[in-house]
Amino acid sequence: MNQRLGVVQFPDLDGYIVRGEDLHKFQTYGADKTLAAMIASKTPGVLFGGEIQHVAGLNFKILESAVLFDDLTVGIFPDIDFVVEAADPANDRMDRVELTYEMVDGSTVINIMMESKVFDKVVHEDLHVAAGIPGGAVPAKTLGHISLGIITVPAGAVALDQNSVDQTFDVAFMPSATKISDGAFARFNPKIMSVEISSDGGTTWKSLATIFQNKVPVEILNNQVAAADMVGLVLDTSVSKFFAIDSAVFRKTDDESRKAGGQVIAIFDEDLAAWEFVSSMIGTDPGLEFSAIQIGATSKYQMQYVSDNVPGAGYQGSGTFTIKDL
């Protein structure tokens, strides 16, 4: 049976707000259940999307998102482009990126009862970038706003990259955490589409998506003397101080072939504020050494490698790596 759900007429679809009190007319086809699920825990934050993406130079983009604000307003936002302030010449700066909204009258809809109703429309004052003090701390979150992350602007920088972004979302969790044993809880995080586990009564959470990451392929260059980034392999001290990295490495030339596999254990030394790596790979010595460099003023560290020289022509080198939280 076909059922007409209604006609929505927005003169401008740049962005709009759906408010709980405006949804009661749509309950005949289950939107009441959808809204109830979204606000069941009354935990404000990002429902989906909202990633901060570097574009070029000092230009960034927030990808389209749905956000639950602390007044239980659900905001649906399109992509938002923005530019961070120029770098300070002498000191690093940390900027906080937030979403907010402002309501103005103007948008009209026709609901399923064929009634004309004026909705409030989101204007473009929905992005707030709180620039930090050069050399100072991260700006505090603004009351009522949703924090998406921190952008570190190094001293004198004229261009940033994705590593400048620490994507620390306020996330709207639903449903509430479920107890699975004494002191252990599980909850579903819709932002990362993964179950999270807490073993300390809900104080800290670890994502199963983090614990079981996909294999990351890395090209291994020959005789790489300067430390090179292993793109896609990032160690986060806020997640763990110990990681096991399943590794498989293949390097060859016309004269020599090397194959090795096993685990590399990464241990964070808090006294030195540095990662140490212990390899237990078996097979032919792959001729690799690993290190990690901090990404801005964040808890994340980019894995890097150096390699020795495999003599001969026709060099090929590659590896696959999987990080597991210990």
Side-chain angles (χ1 to χ4, degrees):
M1 180 181 70
N2 294 328
Q3 182 179 4
R4 181 173 179 174
L5 300 182
V7 179
V8 179
Q9 298 174 343
F10 285 95
D12 182 354
L13 285 178
D14 275 347
Y16 56 93
I17 285 288
V18 179
R19 298 188 303 182
E21 62 266 29
D22 291 324
L23 283 179
H24 68 282
K25 295 292 187 182
F26 295 83
Q27 292 181 356
T28 54
Y29 65 98
D32 57 328
K33 297 180 178 63
T34 302
L35 182 65
M38 295 172 93
I39 66 176
S41 66
K42 294 182 172 58
T43 304
V46 176
L47 295 166
F48 66 80
E51 292 85 359
I52 303 173
Q53 185 179 86
H54 180 254
V55 177
L58 301 177
N59 294 271
F60 289 85
K61 177 193 296 287
I62 296 175
L63 301 184
E64 61 181 341
S65 61
V67 177
L68 176 64
F69 291 95
D70 57 5
D71 61 358
L72 303 187
T73 294
V74 178
I76 301 176
F77 296 90
D79 290 353
I80 304 172
D81 295 304
F82 67 98
V83 182
V84 298
E85 294 181 6
D88 182 82
N91 296 288
D92 293 353
R93 189 187 76 238
M94 290 180 285
D95 297 348
R96 182 182 294 277
V97 180
E98 301 175 326
L99 285 178
T100 182
Y101 72 94
E102 181 179 348
M103 312 292 282
V104 295
D105 293 336
S107 294
T108 302
V109 300
I110 300 176
N111 63 25
I112 60 173
M113 306 300 293
M114 300 309 294
E115 299 167 338
S116 178
K117 183 174 179 61
V118 175
F119 271 24
D120 290 337
K121 174 187 161 187
V122 177
V123 296
H124 291 289
E125 289 78 21
D126 47 19
L127 171 68
H128 180 239
V129 180
I133 299 174
V138 178
K141 176 186 168 184
T142 307
L143 182 65
H145 291 192
I146 299 301
S147 179
L148 298 182
I150 308 299
I151 297 177
T152 299
V153 184
V158 295
L160 305 180
D161 56 31
Q162 193 61 40
N163 288 333
S164 305
V165 179
D166 182 9
Q167 194 80 64
T168 50
F169 284 101
D170 286 340
V171 179
F173 295 105
M174 57 181 184
S176 300
T178 300
K179 183 176 181 179
I180 55 179
S181 65
D182 288 343
F185 294 84
R187 69 184 182 189
F188 179 70
N189 181 340
K191 180 65 199 68
I192 60 175
M193 297 302 292
S194 175
V195 172
E196 293 183 318
I197 303 296
S198 173
S199 59
D200 57 8
T203 302
T204 59
W205 296 87
K206 294 182 180 180
S207 167
L208 294 183
T210 300
I211 297 173
F212 302 107
Q213 293 187 16
N214 293 328
K215 291 182 179 179
V216 177
V218 177
E219 180 183 11
I220 305 297
L221 301 179
N222 197 27
N223 198 27
Q224 180 67 37
V225 178
D229 288 350
M230 303 175 72
V231 177
L233 296 175
V234 175
L235 307 177
D236 191 338
T237 57
S238 70
V239 174
S240 180
K241 303 294 194 301
F242 302 90
F243 290 97
I245 306 166
D246 292 335
S247 308
V249 177
F250 171 73
R251 303 176 68 201
K252 71 176 290 292
T253 64
D254 296 341
D255 298 334
E256 185 176 333
S257 177
R258 303 181 187 181
K259 297 179 182 178
Q263 279 194 333
V264 176
I265 304 299
I267 305 171
F268 187 72
D269 188 323
E270 298 199 46
D271 293 330
L272 299 176
W275 286 93
E276 298 178 354
F277 295 85
V278 179
S279 176
S280 60
M281 283 192 284
I282 60 175
T284 311
D285 181 7
L288 298 179
E289 292 184 7
F290 300 103
S291 61
I293 185 171
Q294 189 174 15
I295 301 174
T298 72
S299 61
K300 298 179 181 179
Y301 290 74
Q302 172 66 60
M303 275 192 65
Q304 299 182 317
Y305 77 94
V306 295
S307 64
D308 65 2
N309 182 58
V310 181
Y315 174 82
Q316 298 177 41
S318 63
T320 56
F321 302 88
T322 304
I323 297 177
K324 297 187 294 186
D325 174 15
L326 293 178

Tab-separated table of all heavy atoms in Angstrom, residues 113-140:
chain	number	residue	atom	x	y	z
A	113	MET	N	-0.434	16.255	7.397
A	113	MET	CA	-1.812	16.644	7.643
A	113	MET	C	-2.240	17.758	6.692
A	113	MET	O	-3.323	18.322	6.837
A	113	MET	CB	-1.977	17.122	9.096
A	113	MET	CG	-1.478	16.121	10.134
A	113	MET	SD	-2.331	14.533	10.044
A	113	MET	CE	-3.972	15.032	10.551
A	114	MET	N	-1.354	18.052	5.702
A	114	MET	CA	-1.581	19.089	4.703
A	114	MET	C	-1.728	20.458	5.352
A	114	MET	O	-2.462	21.328	4.897
A	114	MET	CB	-2.816	18.764	3.844
A	114	MET	CG	-2.719	17.455	3.092
A	114	MET	SD	-1.176	17.292	2.145
A	114	MET	CE	-1.402	18.593	0.928
A	115	GLU	N	-1.008	20.643	6.467
A	115	GLU	CA	-1.001	21.928	7.147
A	115	GLU	C	0.296	22.661	6.822
A	115	GLU	O	1.366	22.059	6.785
A	115	GLU	CB	-1.087	21.736	8.672
A	115	GLU	CG	-2.348	21.025	9.128
A	115	GLU	CD	-2.256	20.584	10.585
A	115	GLU	OE1	-1.123	20.448	11.087
A	115	GLU	OE2	-3.323	20.379	11.193
A	116	SER	N	0.192	23.947	6.572
A	116	SER	CA	1.374	24.767	6.334
A	116	SER	C	1.959	25.179	7.673
A	116	SER	O	1.248	25.651	8.561
A	116	SER	CB	0.992	26.011	5.523
A	116	SER	OG	2.115	26.829	5.315
A	117	LYS	N	3.281	24.977	7.839
A	117	LYS	CA	3.917	25.269	9.115
A	117	LYS	C	5.252	25.942	8.850
A	117	LYS	O	6.007	25.538	7.963
A	117	LYS	CB	4.121	23.992	9.924
A	117	LYS	CG	4.705	24.215	11.307
A	117	LYS	CD	4.743	22.908	12.088
A	117	LYS	CE	5.353	23.100	13.470
A	117	LYS	NZ	4.577	24.034	14.290
A	118	VAL	N	5.534	26.981	9.613
A	118	VAL	CA	6.811	27.683	9.481
A	118	VAL	C	7.841	27.010	10.384
A	118	VAL	O	7.630	26.889	11.586
A	118	VAL	CB	6.668	29.176	9.846
A	118	VAL	CG1	8.031	29.863	9.813
A	118	VAL	CG2	5.711	29.860	8.874
A	119	PHE	N	8.927	26.558	9.756
A	119	PHE	CA	10.050	26.011	10.516
A	119	PHE	C	11.107	27.092	10.666
A	119	PHE	O	11.130	28.074	9.938
A	119	PHE	CB	10.673	24.824	9.772
A	119	PHE	CG	10.065	23.503	10.105
A	119	PHE	CD1	8.770	23.401	10.596
A	119	PHE	CD2	10.792	22.344	9.917
A	119	PHE	CE1	8.214	22.177	10.882
A	119	PHE	CE2	10.230	21.105	10.205
A	119	PHE	CZ	8.942	21.019	10.689
A	120	ASP	N	11.991	26.882	11.609
A	120	ASP	CA	13.141	27.759	11.734
A	120	ASP	C	14.259	27.234	10.838
A	120	ASP	O	14.394	26.040	10.628
A	120	ASP	CB	13.641	27.804	13.177
A	120	ASP	CG	12.660	28.528	14.077
A	120	ASP	OD1	11.884	29.332	13.557
A	120	ASP	OD2	12.679	28.268	15.292
A	121	LYS	N	15.038	28.153	10.337
A	121	LYS	CA	16.079	27.811	9.374
A	121	LYS	C	17.446	28.167	9.940
A	121	LYS	O	17.597	29.175	10.618
A	121	LYS	CB	15.849	28.587	8.073
A	121	LYS	CG	16.933	28.438	7.040
A	121	LYS	CD	16.666	29.394	5.890
A	121	LYS	CE	17.909	29.610	5.085
A	121	LYS	NZ	17.715	30.637	4.075
A	122	VAL	N	18.410	27.318	9.687
A	122	VAL	CA	19.760	27.593	10.148
A	122	VAL	C	20.408	28.625	9.239
A	122	VAL	O	20.438	28.465	8.024
A	122	VAL	CB	20.618	26.314	10.137
A	122	VAL	CG1	22.049	26.624	10.538
A	122	VAL	CG2	20.035	25.295	11.078
A	123	VAL	N	20.944	29.686	9.826
A	123	VAL	CA	21.711	30.641	9.052
A	123	VAL	C	23.168	30.199	9.080
A	123	VAL	O	23.519	29.217	9.716
A	123	VAL	CB	21.539	32.074	9.597
A	123	VAL	CG1	20.101	32.522	9.447
A	123	VAL	CG2	21.950	32.160	11.051
A	124	HIS	N	24.057	30.930	8.404
A	124	HIS	CA	25.419	30.441	8.227
A	124	HIS	C	26.329	30.674	9.428
A	124	HIS	O	27.483	30.282	9.384
A	124	HIS	CB	26.033	31.071	6.974
A	124	HIS	CG	25.391	30.574	5.714
A	124	HIS	ND1	25.581	29.295	5.252
A	124	HIS	CD2	24.557	31.167	4.836
A	124	HIS	CE1	24.892	29.120	4.139
A	124	HIS	NE2	24.256	30.248	3.869
A	125	GLU	N	25.808	31.295	10.487
A	125	GLU	CA	26.610	31.431	11.701
A	125	GLU	C	26.539	30.133	12.502
A	125	GLU	O	26.089	30.097	13.639
A	125	GLU	CB	26.132	32.605	12.563
A	125	GLU	CG	26.436	33.969	11.978
A	125	GLU	CD	25.479	34.340	10.875
A	125	GLU	OE1	24.381	33.764	10.831
A	125	GLU	OE2	25.837	35.196	10.040
A	126	ASP	N	26.941	29.026	11.871
A	126	ASP	CA	26.833	27.733	12.529
A	126	ASP	C	28.201	27.122	12.801
A	126	ASP	O	28.282	26.024	13.326
A	126	ASP	CB	25.993	26.766	11.688
A	126	ASP	CG	26.408	26.773	10.226
A	126	ASP	OD1	27.528	27.223	9.932
A	126	ASP	OD2	25.616	26.328	9.392
A	127	LEU	N	29.264	27.813	12.436
A	127	LEU	CA	30.622	27.328	12.679
A	127	LEU	C	31.339	28.311	13.591
A	127	LEU	O	31.279	29.524	13.390
A	127	LEU	CB	31.392	27.192	11.358
A	127	LEU	CG	32.885	26.894	11.490
A	127	LEU	CD1	33.102	25.495	12.043
A	127	LEU	CD2	33.584	27.049	10.146
A	128	HIS	N	32.024	27.783	14.595
A	128	HIS	CA	32.775	28.626	15.513
A	128	HIS	C	34.184	28.056	15.656
A	128	HIS	O	34.359	26.929	16.113
A	128	HIS	CB	32.087	28.672	16.879
A	128	HIS	CG	32.811	29.520	17.880
A	128	HIS	ND1	33.281	29.042	19.078
A	128	HIS	CD2	33.165	30.832	17.841
A	128	HIS	CE1	33.888	30.007	19.747
A	128	HIS	NE2	33.822	31.094	19.021
A	129	VAL	N	35.181	28.832	15.211
A	129	VAL	CA	36.576	28.435	15.375
A	129	VAL	C	37.188	29.338	16.437
A	129	VAL	O	37.379	30.536	16.223
A	129	VAL	CB	37.360	28.548	14.057
A	129	VAL	CG1	38.818	28.135	14.271
A	129	VAL	CG2	36.721	27.679	12.975
A	130	ALA	N	37.463	28.767	17.595
A	130	ALA	CA	38.049	29.526	18.694
A	130	ALA	C	39.568	29.472	18.573
A	130	ALA	O	40.188	28.442	18.833
A	130	ALA	CB	37.599	28.957	20.037
A	131	ALA	N	40.171	30.573	18.123
A	131	ALA	CA	41.621	30.625	17.959
A	131	ALA	C	42.293	30.692	19.324
A	131	ALA	O	41.919	31.500	20.173
A	131	ALA	CB	42.017	31.823	17.099
A	132	GLY	N	43.276	29.837	19.533
A	132	GLY	CA	43.987	29.821	20.800
A	132	GLY	C	45.008	30.942	20.899
A	132	GLY	O	45.297	31.649	19.926
A	133	ILE	N	45.566	31.097	22.069
A	133	ILE	CA	46.641	32.065	22.291
A	133	ILE	C	47.957	31.413	21.899
A	133	ILE	O	48.256	30.298	22.352
A	133	ILE	CB	46.681	32.499	23.766
A	133	ILE	CG1	45.363	33.181	24.149
A	133	ILE	CG2	47.863	33.428	24.030
A	133	ILE	CD1	45.261	33.509	25.616
A	134	PRO	N	48.749	32.043	21.029
A	134	PRO	CA	50.035	31.445	20.642
A	134	PRO	C	50.868	31.082	21.869
A	134	PRO	O	51.051	31.891	22.775
A	134	PRO	CB	50.693	32.546	19.819
A	134	PRO	CG	49.541	33.321	19.244
A	134	PRO	CD	48.494	33.305	20.313
A	135	GLY	N	51.312	29.837	21.909
A	135	GLY	CA	52.079	29.358	23.042
A	135	GLY	C	51.234	28.969	24.232
A	135	GLY	O	51.766	28.522	25.254
A	136	GLY	N	49.905	29.120	24.135
A	136	GLY	CA	49.010	28.835	25.249
A	136	GLY	C	48.293	27.510	25.105
A	136	GLY	O	48.603	26.697	24.233
A	137	ALA	N	47.313	27.289	25.973
A	137	ALA	CA	46.572	26.042	26.004
A	137	ALA	C	45.448	26.044	24.961
A	137	ALA	O	45.157	27.065	24.336
A	137	ALA	CB	45.982	25.821	27.398
A	138	VAL	N	44.825	24.894	24.791
A	138	VAL	CA	43.680	24.770	23.895
A	138	VAL	C	42.510	25.572	24.458
A	138	VAL	O	42.234	25.499	25.660
A	138	VAL	CB	43.265	23.294	23.752
A	138	VAL	CG1	42.034	23.163	22.860
A	138	VAL	CG2	44.407	22.466	23.206
A	139	PRO	N	41.804	26.357	23.646
A	139	PRO	CA	40.640	27.095	24.149
A	139	PRO	C	39.595	26.154	24.735
A	139	PRO	O	39.381	25.053	24.221
A	139	PRO	CB	40.096	27.808	22.900
A	139	PRO	CG	41.257	27.871	21.967
A	139	PRO	CD	42.064	26.638	22.220
A	140	ALA	N	38.965	26.572	25.809
A	140	ALA	CA	37.922	25.765	26.425
A	140	ALA	C	36.720	25.660	25.497
A	140	ALA	O	36.456	26.550	24.676
A	140	ALA	CB	37.508	26.377	27.764
